[in-house]
Amino acid sequence: MLTGSLVALVTPMDVNGEIDFPTLRKLVDWHIEQGTNGIVAVGTTGESPTVDVEEHIAIVRAVVEQAAGRVPVIAGTGANSTREAIHLSNRALEVGANYGLSVVPYYNKPTQNGLYQHFKSIAENTALPTLLYNVPGRTACDLSNDTALELAKLPNIVGIKDATGNLERAADLAKRAPSDFALYSGDDASTLPFILIGGHGTISVTANVAPQAMSQMCAAAAAGQISTARAINDKLQDLHRHLFIEANPIPVKWALEAMGKIPAGIRLPLTRLSEPAQAIVRKALQAADLINP
């Protein structure tokens, strides 16, 4: 089972909004050097809503090529159209992704039975192992634990990213899920307790700027080294909070720009981080010792 810190990787872009593939490849190398355990390409943080299908697959291909088997690559493959989600899953498989991350269908608000049938159809029509992704704050639709656990019985549904931040729900999943069903936090602020109550890792925004610290924190938590994990997490708390001061990935892309890791590009309708928010994110980066005061 894939465990630890999996980065929800940004998609670098130039100031005109064109994808910067050389910088993307450099980010992949940096993450592997820093101890990131897996890379999620073209999730929400990778601006999946703003890239077209061919760009989407090109990004996944570039990440797979650069990772070169050193860490697993998880491709964002979700859509609010079941057919499109299947198509993305199969294309991601063709270019070498190890897993797909499929978000709960957004906007059309299906029933729990609709969600079950959606993910069941994906599982039956692709060989790519699929991780469910529940983020009701963005999708306006919540995958219940009961539905997720029914889906866990399907051989090609192998885990879930739970971005609810609800530890009561996480504890219920940890108690009832099959032992081989991976549980990942999708909420950086609650990742430490999530792992302590039985989670296997995180799919993290904070890991974009603090990959080594997030990897070390997850490893310490999994090993029961609570004081070590807390000490690391304490330095990251401001990042966990302020990287969401505006809609993700606006703050984290600015943070990486401030660190000299990526250029300033982002695509509409997303815009560059506002100046008042920049000061707040800068202080969070300084508190984590990622940039100089």
Side-chain angles (χ1 to χ4, degrees), residues 165-176:
N166 185 322
L167 291 174
E168 182 180 356
R169 288 182 61 161
D172 178 58
L173 280 172
K175 178 181 178 180
R176 294 198 285 147

Side-chain angles (χ1 to χ4, degrees), residues 77-83 85 102-120 122 132-136 138-143 151:
T77 54
N80 60 348
S81 159
T82 306
R83 290 185 178 186
S102 192
V103 71
V104 165
Y106 38 87
Y107 190 76
N108 44 21
K109 300 175 74 170
T111 64
Q112 292 301 307
N113 180 53
L115 293 175
Y116 178 83
Q117 296 298 334
H118 169 80
F119 289 115
K120 179 174 180 286
I122 294 170
L132 309 171
Y133 177 16
N134 190 34
V135 57
R138 280 186 178 267
T139 62
C141 188
D142 188 2
L143 181 73
L151 288 164

Side-chain angles (χ1 to χ4, degrees), residues 208-229:
N208 276 282
V209 295
Q212 185 176 73
M214 283 300 295
S215 180
Q216 291 173 342
M217 188 272 285
C218 290
Q225 299 168 354
I226 297 175
S227 59
T228 299

Side-chain angles (χ1 to χ4, degrees), residues 133-261:
Y133 177 16
N134 190 34
V135 57
R138 280 186 178 267
T139 62
C141 188
D142 188 2
L143 181 73
S144 73
N145 279 10
D146 287 343
T147 304
L149 291 168
E150 281 299 308
L151 288 164
K153 297 175 183 178
L154 302 177
N156 213 31
I157 304 290
V158 298
I160 186 170
K161 175 184 176 182
D162 182 343
T164 65
N166 185 322
L167 291 174
E168 182 180 356
R169 288 182 61 161
D172 178 58
L173 280 172
K175 178 181 178 180
R176 294 198 285 147
S179 60
D180 60 350
F181 189 70
L183 305 175
Y184 304 113
S185 170
D187 174 67
D188 282 311
S190 60
T191 286
L192 174 54
F194 184 97
I195 293 174
L196 294 176
I197 61 177
H200 301 104
T202 182
I203 296 177
S204 169
V205 173
T206 299
N208 276 282
V209 295
Q212 185 176 73
M214 283 300 295
S215 180
Q216 291 173 342
M217 188 272 285
C218 290
Q225 299 168 354
I226 297 175
S227 59
T228 299
R230 285 188 61 185
I232 298 169
N233 196 56
D234 285 349
K235 290 186 70 173
L236 300 175
Q237 285 285 13
D238 287 349
L239 284 172
H240 295 335
R241 181 167 64 254
H242 296 314
L243 289 181
F244 294 89
I245 193 170
E246 293 180 10
N248 180 47
I250 292 172
V252 73
K253 291 197 86 172
W254 183 87
L256 283 165
E257 178 194 343
M259 292 171 65
K261 294 293 185 184

